[in-house]
Amino acid sequence: MRILIFLILILTFQLNSAYAERVKPTFKQSLSLNGIVGQPSDVEFSPDGTKVFILSFANERIKEFSLSIPFNISTINTSSAVTLNLNSGDDAQSSQVQGMSFNNDGTKIFTVLSSSNSRSMAVHSLATPYDLSSVTQDADDGINWKTYLNTISNMRDIEFNNDGTKMYMIDAWGNEEVIEYHLSTPYLPSSATLGHVFDLEDVNSQVLQDFEFDDDGTRMYLIESNIGAGNYDIYVYKISRAFDLST
């Protein structure tokens, strides 16, 4: 459940090759973020749905809000905002932060950007799970993820499997790929080796904006848009072996 929650009214799920199935979502509600978050680019929830985290593309910040009713965006308390400034510290991300992901217990948050800045990923640790007020920045690992192991022209998002032994990124356009990495140490990106690269260039013709797995890793959802046209599609891929993009 990410930025697509806010776009669901205008999304169209499409059948995409043998990997996908057609789904017709039911619209529930929307929330305007005007004046609250500048150009939201990603969304995460805490597991119990009582907190929502919204990433701002415009000013390189993550804002944490509380919800009085779990997963009900109409109950967001905007006065409860806690802000993490990503454009600070030794591993600052200075522009175009596009995607984020937590580890499985909420004690780490990973962010990626799409600009030419070599600091393409930053990691922060949280002393209290899913609490941005307790955050500290991890040391820069010195890796430029745009060129390390696989070339990524325009990085848009990052995800992990359930135990952190696999990491995934998307190349938004140009190559149009989902890249799978194997982590010898869970949730430690510097321990990565290259896994399967899922090529979408012949199928997806627009800009890949975001992606997400279901809870057991047997489906992958990708959101695609055409810049300036206001068209949004979600492609749903079935995965035979959980979190294995080669299947």
Side-chain angles (χ1 to χ4, degrees):
M1 290 177 293
R2 301 165 67 80
I3 197 65
L4 57 90
I5 290 177
F6 298 96
L7 298 171
I8 200 71
L9 180 62
I10 53 177
L11 294 177
T12 303
F13 282 77
Q14 291 188 347
L15 183 65
N16 187 354
S17 79
Y19 297 98
E21 62 180 8
R22 191 174 186 85
V23 181
K24 295 181 178 180
T26 301
F27 172 74
K28 293 191 66 175
Q29 59 186 323
S30 62
L31 175 72
S32 173
L33 297 174
N34 289 337
I36 302 172
V37 179
Q39 297 180 1
S41 56
D42 208 351
V43 174
E44 290 282 356
F45 287 86
S46 60
D48 64 2
T50 60
K51 289 185 177 182
V52 62
F53 304 83
I54 305 175
L55 179 62
S56 171
F57 173 86
N59 56 18
E60 300 82 42
R61 284 165 171 75
I62 302 173
K63 286 196 173 184
E64 168 193 324
F65 301 97
S66 60
L67 293 83
S68 56
I69 300 175
F71 299 108
N72 186 332
I73 59 174
S74 69
T75 68
I76 287 179
N77 178 5
T78 56
S79 65
S80 69
V82 178
T83 301
L84 169 60
N85 181 8
L86 299 169
N87 190 11
S88 64
D90 294 335
D91 201 13
Q93 292 183 305
S94 58
S95 64
Q96 301 179 11
V97 185
Q98 293 277 11
M100 65 177 170
S101 183
F102 286 95
N103 66 349
N104 58 2
D105 64 4
T107 58
K108 284 189 179 291
I109 188 167
F110 304 79
T111 52
V112 294
L113 55 77
S114 62
S115 75
S116 58
N117 189 323
S118 63
R119 292 190 173 93
S120 49
M121 182 192 301
V123 185
H124 290 77
S125 295
L126 292 79
T128 302
Y130 300 102
D131 181 358
L132 294 185
S133 68
S134 67
V135 73
T136 56
Q137 188 180 80
D138 289 13
D140 181 9
D141 59 16
I143 296 174
N144 180 359
W145 287 96
K146 291 179 175 294
T147 57
Y148 183 66
L149 298 178
N150 188 79
T151 300
I152 302 178
S153 301
N154 197 285
M155 192 182 305
R156 283 297 171 98
D157 199 15
I158 179 172
E159 293 294 339
F160 296 87
N161 67 344
N162 291 339
D163 63 5
T165 57
K166 288 188 176 184
M167 178 177 72
Y168 309 83
M169 298 187 199
I170 54 172
D171 195 341
W173 70 75
N175 295 327
E176 292 185 352
E177 299 170 334
V178 183
I179 304 101
E180 175 183 302
Y181 301 89
H182 299 273
L183 305 182
S184 58
T185 301
Y187 297 106
L188 183 63
S190 62
S191 71
T193 55
L194 185 63
H196 185 72
V197 178
F198 185 31
D199 184 8
L200 295 163
E201 191 169 3
D202 293 334
V203 179
N204 302 73
S205 59
Q206 308 301 328
V207 179
L208 301 177
Q209 295 285 4
D210 208 343
F211 77 118
E212 185 70 77
F213 293 96
D214 66 357
D215 290 342
D216 63 5
T218 58
R219 280 178 171 78
M220 179 176 66
Y221 305 84
L222 289 98
I223 183 170
E224 177 190 74
S225 72
N226 185 345
I227 296 176
N231 296 322
Y232 301 90
D233 300 296
I234 291 182
Y235 297 90
V236 187
Y237 291 86
K238 293 181 179 180
I239 304 172
S240 298
R241 291 192 300 270
F243 296 104
D244 184 349
L245 296 186
S246 67
T247 66

